[in-house]
Amino acid sequence: DVKVTQSSRYLVKRTGEKVFLECVQDMDHENMFWYRQDPGLGLRLIYFSYDVKMKEKGDIPEGYSVSREKKERFSLILESASTNQTSMYLCASASGGGVQPQHFGDGTRLSIL
Amino acid sequence: DAKTTQPNSMESNEEEPVHLPCNHSTISGTDYIHWYRQLPSQGPEYVIHGLTSNVNNRMASLAIAEDRKSSTLILHRATLRDAAVYYCILRTTNSNSGYALNFGKGTSLLVTP
């Protein structure tokens, strides 16, 4: 089975801090994704990557950046955390092709105080 | 994007079959029907997908209407661990659509002992 591992289940940070969320997948998938999930707003795509060192903006990239130096690892960076970035963050991976299933990690519940 | 319509909630008894409906009357020929579910405090989990023919896997079955305007996810024998929100999504092979998963509100399935 595909395993997508997110580094933390719960994280508490302060406003203005630089925050790193890490995600690792073990299935050699080309595509990796970062979403945030908020009540009433569903799943929103922040960034995705289709190859090492490649990235594409999703629907809500403002305030975030990403890094993909190795195929198995995709990092989400909050450059200067703000309270409106308090959310559940979900990482996913998928093999090539737009209709391939995405496999998710268990999520990181991030609170910015 | 073609939209889907699902009931807000459904209830089932444990060990009974569950049929979760999804309407997608504006589906196009390139749209695949995907189902995901999300258990409490976990990331979404891929369940099954199909294009025209019915599909079976170890988790569930997917029955697709002949005109493809509706589909049904079938859990053959519900367990308490199947209590989750189930999302029906259309995903197209059209590269302009992007890779984001657009979860609607889904169907919240309650399974009672």
Side-chain angles (χ1 to χ4, degrees):
Chain A
D1 281 350
V2 176
K3 185 125 179 94
V4 178
T5 303
Q6 294 185 231
S7 52
S8 307
R9 288 299 303 271
Y10 301 94
L11 205 54
V12 180
K13 295 291 182 181
R14 296 205 174 274
T15 304
E17 280 192 71
K18 192 168 186 176
V19 180
F20 293 86
L21 302 183
E22 306 286 344
C23 175
V24 177
Q25 51 97 359
D26 66 356
M27 283 302 291
D28 203 37
H29 283 165
E30 293 87 352
N31 302 311
M32 295 188 75
F33 309 82
W34 275 107
Y35 293 89
R36 61 178 285 179
Q37 187 174 32
D38 301 287
L41 295 177
L43 217 57
R44 292 182 290 169
L45 182 66
I46 305 170
Y47 268 97
F48 71 96
S49 167
Y50 53 90
D51 202 350
V52 175
K53 297 191 186 296
M54 305 305 289
K55 61 185 179 185
E56 291 283 345
K57 292 180 180 179
D59 299 320
I60 51 164
E62 296 78 18
Y64 303 94
S65 63
V66 290
S67 171
R68 192 158 180 213
E69 297 296 318
K70 293 185 178 181
K71 192 173 186 180
E72 67 270 19
R73 187 180 297 270
F74 192 35
S75 303
L76 179 70
I77 303 148
L78 285 66
E79 298 290 343
S80 177
S82 64
T83 55
N84 63 11
Q85 292 178 309
T86 291
S87 185
M88 169 70 88
Y89 288 87
L90 292 159
C91 174
S93 74
S95 59
V99 295
Q100 293 303 313
Q102 293 185 18
H103 301 272
F104 286 81
D106 280 335
T108 296
R109 188 164 293 282
L110 175 65
S111 296
I112 307 296
L113 304 179
Chain B
D1 290 342
K3 292 187 177 178
T4 63
T5 305
Q6 300 176 252
N8 289 333
S9 62
M10 291 185 65
E11 194 168 335
S12 172
N13 293 322
E14 199 177 8
E15 298 187 8
E16 288 187 358
V18 181
H19 290 231
L20 296 162
C22 181
N23 287 323
H24 28 78
S25 58
T26 59
I27 192 170
S28 73
T30 57
D31 285 336
Y32 283 74
I33 301 157
H34 283 235
W35 282 82
Y36 285 77
R37 71 180 185 180
Q38 189 168 19
L39 281 67
S41 302
Q42 293 190 24
E45 177 184 25
Y46 164 76
V47 178
I48 199 166
H49 76 284
L51 183 62
T52 55
S53 304
N54 294 345
V55 184
N56 299 297
N57 67 20
R58 62 179 175 85
M59 289 182 69
S61 296
L62 176 60
I64 301 172
E66 198 168 331
D67 64 4
R68 300 210 324 126
K69 292 180 188 284
S70 66
S71 61
T72 302
L73 179 72
I74 302 165
L75 307 178
H76 295 286
R77 205 160 156 264
T79 70
L80 297 178
R81 289 178 297 172
D82 291 321
V85 180
Y86 287 79
Y87 298 98
C88 169
I89 306 164
L90 301 183
R91 305 203 62 211
T92 184
T93 54
N94 180 347
S95 61
N96 291 331
S97 71
Y99 290 92
L101 292 178
N102 292 311
F103 283 7
K105 289 189 165 39
T107 297
S108 180
L109 176 65
L110 176 66
V111 180
T112 52

